[in-house]
Amino acid sequence: MVSLHELSAFCDERTRRKHIPDFPPAYNGLQVANPGTVSKIGAAVDAGKVPFAKAIALGVDFLIVHHGLYWTAPTPLTGTAYEKVKLLMDANCALYSSHLPLDCHPELGNNALLAKALGLEVERGFVDYEKVPMGVIAQYGRSRDTLREQLSALFPTVTAIEYGSKEIERVGILTGSGASAVSELRRAGIDTLITGELRQQHFNQAQEEGLNLYLCGHYATETFGVKALAAEVAARFGLPWVFIETECPL
């Protein structure tokens, strides 16, 4: 058994929680406590009834998620909001959330880890939120056919919108929603973006501006960070951990 306080404090420090801004009123950190000890760590992308139930069935009592419970303030504990919190509390399962801190982290972040999975070296950050870069730009130096093949090997589905360079020098990576990145591509001197999801209008923008856009799924592109944080916490405290897969196709 490990102290919940120790575990949560380690996660806060490792993700630089206090130093990374997030969308109001998203709340990063410990969202639901338990009686005070932890024996098994879980990682999931979303705070939902299904991942909660799966985690509890596997004996998890400290669940790390990327998309936490709180996105509007205040949230009355009624209906499904009540049911989700009750499910956790009845099972003494704590919930820890890390959103933007786990996107932009240089080692544990979704963007940095996706670049690493593609064998790429990060050059610099791009797409700032309150002066903090969220995405990354990485050297590529291969064809877009090769990039499409690499992405198809990593993700269940890849939507390729290809109106940019056939030979790609550098790529931008912004996991999850990439809407804020499309207009930044040309200003950043690149024409290729790897992301999770976009809006219909970005197809027209790709045609008009000559862009390569690769949509690999919001959920699928954001599994990297929670896995990395859970694995590191587990190793630090000598605990087992498990990833809770929910097979979200979006």
Side-chain angles (χ1 to χ4, degrees), residues 80-110:
T80 56
Y82 164 77
E83 291 168 6
K84 287 192 286 188
V85 173
K86 186 177 187 299
L87 187 61
L88 290 173
M89 296 185 74
D90 285 349
N92 292 330
C93 182
L95 180 71
Y96 186 95
S97 177
S98 186
H99 184 228
L100 293 188
L102 209 51
D103 280 323
C104 68
H105 198 283
E107 296 165 351
L108 302 174
N110 289 310

mmCIF file of all heavy atoms in Angstrom, residues 80-110:
data_model
loop_
_atom_site.group_PDB
_atom_site.id
_atom_site.type_symbol
_atom_site.label_atom_id
_atom_site.label_comp_id
_atom_site.label_asym_id
_atom_site.label_seq_id
_atom_site.Cartn_x
_atom_site.Cartn_y
_atom_site.Cartn_z
ATOM 1 N N THR A 80 -26.134 11.167 -14.185
ATOM 2 C CA THR A 80 -24.915 10.392 -14.449
ATOM 3 C C THR A 80 -23.708 10.962 -13.707
ATOM 4 O O THR A 80 -22.779 10.213 -13.384
ATOM 5 C CB THR A 80 -24.607 10.330 -15.959
ATOM 6 O OG1 THR A 80 -24.515 11.663 -16.476
ATOM 7 C CG2 THR A 80 -25.679 9.574 -16.712
ATOM 8 N N ALA A 81 -23.698 12.279 -13.442
ATOM 9 C CA ALA A 81 -22.590 12.859 -12.673
ATOM 10 C C ALA A 81 -22.535 12.230 -11.277
ATOM 11 O O ALA A 81 -21.464 11.870 -10.781
ATOM 12 C CB ALA A 81 -22.747 14.378 -12.570
ATOM 13 N N TYR A 82 -23.685 12.082 -10.657
ATOM 14 C CA TYR A 82 -23.766 11.425 -9.341
ATOM 15 C C TYR A 82 -23.366 9.957 -9.444
ATOM 16 O O TYR A 82 -22.602 9.444 -8.615
ATOM 17 C CB TYR A 82 -25.191 11.542 -8.793
ATOM 18 C CG TYR A 82 -25.486 10.594 -7.649
ATOM 19 C CD1 TYR A 82 -25.020 10.853 -6.365
ATOM 20 C CD2 TYR A 82 -26.223 9.423 -7.861
ATOM 21 C CE1 TYR A 82 -25.275 9.978 -5.318
ATOM 22 C CE2 TYR A 82 -26.485 8.548 -6.823
ATOM 23 C CZ TYR A 82 -26.008 8.829 -5.557
ATOM 24 O OH TYR A 82 -26.264 7.958 -4.533
ATOM 25 N N GLU A 83 -23.881 9.282 -10.464
ATOM 26 C CA GLU A 83 -23.620 7.850 -10.612
ATOM 27 C C GLU A 83 -22.128 7.571 -10.779
ATOM 28 O O GLU A 83 -21.591 6.593 -10.227
ATOM 29 C CB GLU A 83 -24.401 7.298 -11.794
ATOM 30 C CG GLU A 83 -25.916 7.282 -11.564
ATOM 31 C CD GLU A 83 -26.694 7.015 -12.839
ATOM 32 O OE1 GLU A 83 -26.048 6.733 -13.870
ATOM 33 O OE2 GLU A 83 -27.939 7.093 -12.798
ATOM 34 N N LYS A 84 -21.434 8.421 -11.533
ATOM 35 C CA LYS A 84 -20.005 8.215 -11.752
ATOM 36 C C LYS A 84 -19.210 8.399 -10.460
ATOM 37 O O LYS A 84 -18.337 7.584 -10.130
ATOM 38 C CB LYS A 84 -19.489 9.164 -12.838
ATOM 39 C CG LYS A 84 -19.937 8.782 -14.237
ATOM 40 C CD LYS A 84 -19.202 9.546 -15.310
ATOM 41 C CE LYS A 84 -19.653 10.971 -15.426
ATOM 42 N NZ LYS A 84 -19.066 11.642 -16.611
ATOM 43 N N VAL A 85 -19.510 9.470 -9.738
ATOM 44 C CA VAL A 85 -18.791 9.727 -8.494
ATOM 45 C C VAL A 85 -19.109 8.649 -7.452
ATOM 46 O O VAL A 85 -18.224 8.175 -6.738
ATOM 47 C CB VAL A 85 -19.114 11.134 -7.957
ATOM 48 C CG1 VAL A 85 -18.505 11.337 -6.573
ATOM 49 C CG2 VAL A 85 -18.597 12.200 -8.911
ATOM 50 N N LYS A 86 -20.372 8.240 -7.375
ATOM 51 C CA LYS A 86 -20.766 7.192 -6.424
ATOM 52 C C LYS A 86 -20.051 5.883 -6.732
ATOM 53 O O LYS A 86 -19.618 5.161 -5.825
ATOM 54 C CB LYS A 86 -22.275 6.987 -6.452
ATOM 55 C CG LYS A 86 -22.789 6.011 -5.376
ATOM 56 C CD LYS A 86 -24.299 5.906 -5.390
ATOM 57 C CE LYS A 86 -24.813 5.066 -4.215
ATOM 58 N NZ LYS A 86 -24.304 3.688 -4.250
ATOM 59 N N LEU A 87 -19.928 5.566 -8.016
ATOM 60 C CA LEU A 87 -19.243 4.344 -8.431
ATOM 61 C C LEU A 87 -17.814 4.338 -7.902
ATOM 62 O O LEU A 87 -17.326 3.329 -7.363
ATOM 63 C CB LEU A 87 -19.259 4.239 -9.955
ATOM 64 C CG LEU A 87 -18.732 2.967 -10.612
ATOM 65 C CD1 LEU A 87 -19.538 1.760 -10.170
ATOM 66 C CD2 LEU A 87 -18.777 3.104 -12.126
ATOM 67 N N LEU A 88 -17.121 5.455 -8.045
ATOM 68 C CA LEU A 88 -15.752 5.557 -7.556
ATOM 69 C C LEU A 88 -15.697 5.453 -6.036
ATOM 70 O O LEU A 88 -14.887 4.704 -5.478
ATOM 71 C CB LEU A 88 -15.134 6.889 -7.992
ATOM 72 C CG LEU A 88 -14.816 7.065 -9.475
ATOM 73 C CD1 LEU A 88 -14.386 8.497 -9.746
ATOM 74 C CD2 LEU A 88 -13.726 6.106 -9.930
ATOM 75 N N MET A 89 -16.565 6.203 -5.361
ATOM 76 C CA MET A 89 -16.505 6.264 -3.901
ATOM 77 C C MET A 89 -16.899 4.937 -3.255
ATOM 78 O O MET A 89 -16.307 4.521 -2.256
ATOM 79 C CB MET A 89 -17.366 7.415 -3.395
ATOM 80 C CG MET A 89 -16.848 8.774 -3.855
ATOM 81 S SD MET A 89 -17.746 10.177 -3.177
ATOM 82 C CE MET A 89 -17.128 10.172 -1.494
ATOM 83 N N ASP A 90 -17.875 4.260 -3.831
ATOM 84 C CA ASP A 90 -18.274 2.957 -3.288
ATOM 85 C C ASP A 90 -17.139 1.943 -3.366
ATOM 86 O O ASP A 90 -17.048 1.026 -2.541
ATOM 87 C CB ASP A 90 -19.501 2.414 -4.027
ATOM 88 C CG ASP A 90 -20.793 3.115 -3.626
ATOM 89 O OD1 ASP A 90 -20.769 3.873 -2.626
ATOM 90 O OD2 ASP A 90 -21.813 2.910 -4.308
ATOM 91 N N ALA A 91 -16.283 2.109 -4.371
ATOM 92 C CA ALA A 91 -15.178 1.163 -4.568
ATOM 93 C C ALA A 91 -13.855 1.685 -3.994
ATOM 94 O O ALA A 91 -12.814 1.058 -4.179
ATOM 95 C CB ALA A 91 -15.011 0.867 -6.055
ATOM 96 N N ASN A 92 -13.895 2.850 -3.321
ATOM 97 C CA ASN A 92 -12.678 3.461 -2.761
ATOM 98 C C ASN A 92 -11.612 3.681 -3.832
ATOM 99 O O ASN A 92 -10.408 3.458 -3.609
ATOM 100 C CB ASN A 92 -12.100 2.602 -1.626
ATOM 101 C CG ASN A 92 -12.993 2.595 -0.403
ATOM 102 O OD1 ASN A 92 -13.696 3.568 -0.133
ATOM 103 N ND2 ASN A 92 -12.982 1.499 0.339
ATOM 104 N N CYS A 93 -12.064 4.121 -5.006
ATOM 105 C CA CYS A 93 -11.148 4.359 -6.125
ATOM 106 C C CYS A 93 -10.956 5.865 -6.312
ATOM 107 O O CYS A 93 -11.907 6.595 -6.594
ATOM 108 C CB CYS A 93 -11.691 3.738 -7.408
ATOM 109 S SG CYS A 93 -10.597 3.939 -8.836
ATOM 110 N N ALA A 94 -9.718 6.329 -6.153
ATOM 111 C CA ALA A 94 -9.397 7.744 -6.346
ATOM 112 C C ALA A 94 -9.276 8.047 -7.836
ATOM 113 O O ALA A 94 -8.949 7.172 -8.647
ATOM 114 C CB ALA A 94 -8.106 8.087 -5.619
ATOM 115 N N LEU A 95 -9.514 9.310 -8.191
ATOM 116 C CA LEU A 95 -9.436 9.740 -9.590
ATOM 117 C C LEU A 95 -8.490 10.924 -9.700
ATOM 118 O O LEU A 95 -8.642 11.929 -9.004
ATOM 119 C CB LEU A 95 -10.820 10.138 -10.112
ATOM 120 C CG LEU A 95 -10.860 10.599 -11.583
ATOM 121 C CD1 LEU A 95 -10.627 9.410 -12.515
ATOM 122 C CD2 LEU A 95 -12.198 11.268 -11.895
ATOM 123 N N TYR A 96 -7.517 10.796 -10.613
ATOM 124 C CA TYR A 96 -6.548 11.866 -10.865
ATOM 125 C C TYR A 96 -6.623 12.234 -12.332
ATOM 126 O O TYR A 96 -6.561 11.361 -13.204
ATOM 127 C CB TYR A 96 -5.127 11.410 -10.511
ATOM 128 C CG TYR A 96 -4.098 12.515 -10.607
ATOM 129 C CD1 TYR A 96 -3.735 13.244 -9.476
ATOM 130 C CD2 TYR A 96 -3.515 12.844 -11.825
ATOM 131 C CE1 TYR A 96 -2.807 14.276 -9.564
ATOM 132 C CE2 TYR A 96 -2.586 13.874 -11.921
ATOM 133 C CZ TYR A 96 -2.233 14.585 -10.786
ATOM 134 O OH TYR A 96 -1.317 15.615 -10.880
ATOM 135 N N SER A 97 -6.746 13.530 -12.622
ATOM 136 C CA SER A 97 -6.885 13.989 -14.007
ATOM 137 C C SER A 97 -5.730 14.895 -14.406
ATOM 138 O O SER A 97 -5.290 15.744 -13.627
ATOM 139 C CB SER A 97 -8.206 14.751 -14.175
ATOM 140 O OG SER A 97 -8.317 15.265 -15.485
ATOM 141 N N SER A 98 -5.247 14.723 -15.621
ATOM 142 C CA SER A 98 -4.210 15.607 -16.169
ATOM 143 C C SER A 98 -4.503 15.835 -17.641
ATOM 144 O O SER A 98 -4.344 14.938 -18.469
ATOM 145 C CB SER A 98 -2.819 14.998 -15.987
ATOM 146 O OG SER A 98 -1.820 15.915 -16.388
ATOM 147 N N HIS A 99 -4.930 17.052 -17.979
ATOM 148 C CA HIS A 99 -5.335 17.376 -19.336
ATOM 149 C C HIS A 99 -4.182 18.038 -20.096
ATOM 150 O O HIS A 99 -3.273 17.351 -20.569
ATOM 151 C CB HIS A 99 -6.597 18.254 -19.307
ATOM 152 C CG HIS A 99 -7.142 18.553 -20.654
ATOM 153 N ND1 HIS A 99 -7.489 19.823 -21.046
ATOM 154 C CD2 HIS A 99 -7.390 17.744 -21.718
ATOM 155 C CE1 HIS A 99 -7.933 19.787 -22.285
ATOM 156 N NE2 HIS A 99 -7.882 18.538 -22.727
ATOM 157 N N LEU A 100 -4.169 19.366 -20.192
ATOM 158 C CA LEU A 100 -3.106 20.027 -20.949
ATOM 159 C C LEU A 100 -1.708 19.762 -20.397
ATOM 160 O O LEU A 100 -0.755 19.658 -21.186
ATOM 161 C CB LEU A 100 -3.371 21.535 -21.040
ATOM 162 C CG LEU A 100 -4.598 21.954 -21.869
ATOM 163 C CD1 LEU A 100 -4.632 23.468 -22.039
ATOM 164 C CD2 LEU A 100 -4.646 21.253 -23.222
ATOM 165 N N PRO A 101 -1.532 19.617 -19.074
ATOM 166 C CA PRO A 101 -0.190 19.272 -18.606
ATOM 167 C C PRO A 101 0.333 17.960 -19.192
ATOM 168 O O PRO A 101 1.540 17.780 -19.346
ATOM 169 C CB PRO A 101 -0.361 19.166 -17.081
ATOM 170 C CG PRO A 101 -1.476 20.098 -16.779
ATOM 171 C CD PRO A 101 -2.430 19.928 -17.936
ATOM 172 N N LEU A 102 -0.587 17.059 -19.545
ATOM 173 C CA LEU A 102 -0.185 15.775 -20.104
ATOM 174 C C LEU A 102 -0.213 15.786 -21.631
ATOM 175 O O LEU A 102 0.084 14.782 -22.270
ATOM 176 C CB LEU A 102 -1.079 14.650 -19.563
ATOM 177 C CG LEU A 102 -0.458 13.247 -19.466
ATOM 178 C CD1 LEU A 102 0.866 13.282 -18.724
ATOM 179 C CD2 LEU A 102 -1.408 12.286 -18.811
ATOM 180 N N ASP A 103 -0.565 16.909 -22.216
ATOM 181 C CA ASP A 103 -0.419 17.082 -23.663
ATOM 182 C C ASP A 103 0.952 17.654 -23.996
ATOM 183 O O ASP A 103 1.626 17.211 -24.925
ATOM 184 C CB ASP A 103 -1.496 18.029 -24.209
ATOM 185 C CG ASP A 103 -2.835 17.347 -24.406
ATOM 186 O OD1 ASP A 103 -2.848 16.169 -24.808
ATOM 187 O OD2 ASP A 103 -3.866 17.985 -24.156
ATOM 188 N N CYS A 104 1.372 18.653 -23.217
ATOM 189 C CA CYS A 104 2.562 19.415 -23.586
ATOM 190 C C CYS A 104 3.837 18.950 -22.908
ATOM 191 O O CYS A 104 4.915 19.500 -23.172
ATOM 192 C CB CYS A 104 2.332 20.899 -23.289
ATOM 193 S SG CYS A 104 2.205 21.296 -21.526
ATOM 194 N N HIS A 105 3.776 17.963 -22.041
ATOM 195 C CA HIS A 105 4.967 17.531 -21.310
ATOM 196 C C HIS A 105 6.038 17.017 -22.277
ATOM 197 O O HIS A 105 5.740 16.237 -23.197
ATOM 198 C CB HIS A 105 4.597 16.433 -20.312
ATOM 199 C CG HIS A 105 5.611 16.227 -19.245
ATOM 200 N ND1 HIS A 105 6.795 15.545 -19.461
ATOM 201 C CD2 HIS A 105 5.639 16.607 -17.936
ATOM 202 C CE1 HIS A 105 7.494 15.514 -18.343
ATOM 203 N NE2 HIS A 105 6.818 16.153 -17.409
ATOM 204 N N PRO A 106 7.295 17.434 -22.104
ATOM 205 C CA PRO A 106 8.339 17.037 -23.054
ATOM 206 C C PRO A 106 8.714 15.565 -23.015
ATOM 207 O O PRO A 106 9.317 15.052 -23.963
ATOM 208 C CB PRO A 106 9.534 17.912 -22.647
ATOM 209 C CG PRO A 106 9.289 18.261 -21.215
ATOM 210 C CD PRO A 106 7.798 18.370 -21.077
ATOM 211 N N GLU A 107 8.367 14.859 -21.925
ATOM 212 C CA GLU A 107 8.700 13.438 -21.819
ATOM 213 C C GLU A 107 7.468 12.551 -21.733
ATOM 214 O O GLU A 107 7.437 11.469 -22.323
ATOM 215 C CB GLU A 107 9.567 13.194 -20.576
ATOM 216 C CG GLU A 107 10.906 13.894 -20.639
ATOM 217 C CD GLU A 107 11.598 13.948 -19.292
ATOM 218 O OE1 GLU A 107 10.952 13.595 -18.286
ATOM 219 O OE2 GLU A 107 12.774 14.342 -19.257
ATOM 220 N N LEU A 108 6.453 12.991 -20.989
ATOM 221 C CA LEU A 108 5.251 12.190 -20.769
ATOM 222 C C LEU A 108 4.085 12.635 -21.634
ATOM 223 O O LEU A 108 3.023 12.028 -21.580
ATOM 224 C CB LEU A 108 4.824 12.280 -19.296
ATOM 225 C CG LEU A 108 5.840 11.836 -18.245
ATOM 226 C CD1 LEU A 108 5.314 12.139 -16.845
ATOM 227 C CD2 LEU A 108 6.149 10.360 -18.392
ATOM 228 N N GLY A 109 4.259 13.684 -22.414
ATOM 229 C CA GLY A 109 3.153 14.280 -23.157
ATOM 230 C C GLY A 109 2.713 13.476 -24.369
ATOM 231 O O GLY A 109 3.527 12.798 -25.021
ATOM 232 N N ASN A 110 1.432 13.573 -24.688
ATOM 233 C CA ASN A 110 0.894 12.865 -25.855
ATOM 234 C C ASN A 110 1.629 13.232 -27.140
ATOM 235 O O ASN A 110 1.930 12.363 -27.969
ATOM 236 C CB ASN A 110 -0.593 13.192 -26.016
ATOM 237 C CG ASN A 110 -1.448 12.551 -24.949
ATOM 238 O OD1 ASN A 110 -1.337 11.361 -24.692
ATOM 239 N ND2 ASN A 110 -2.312 13.339 -24.323
#
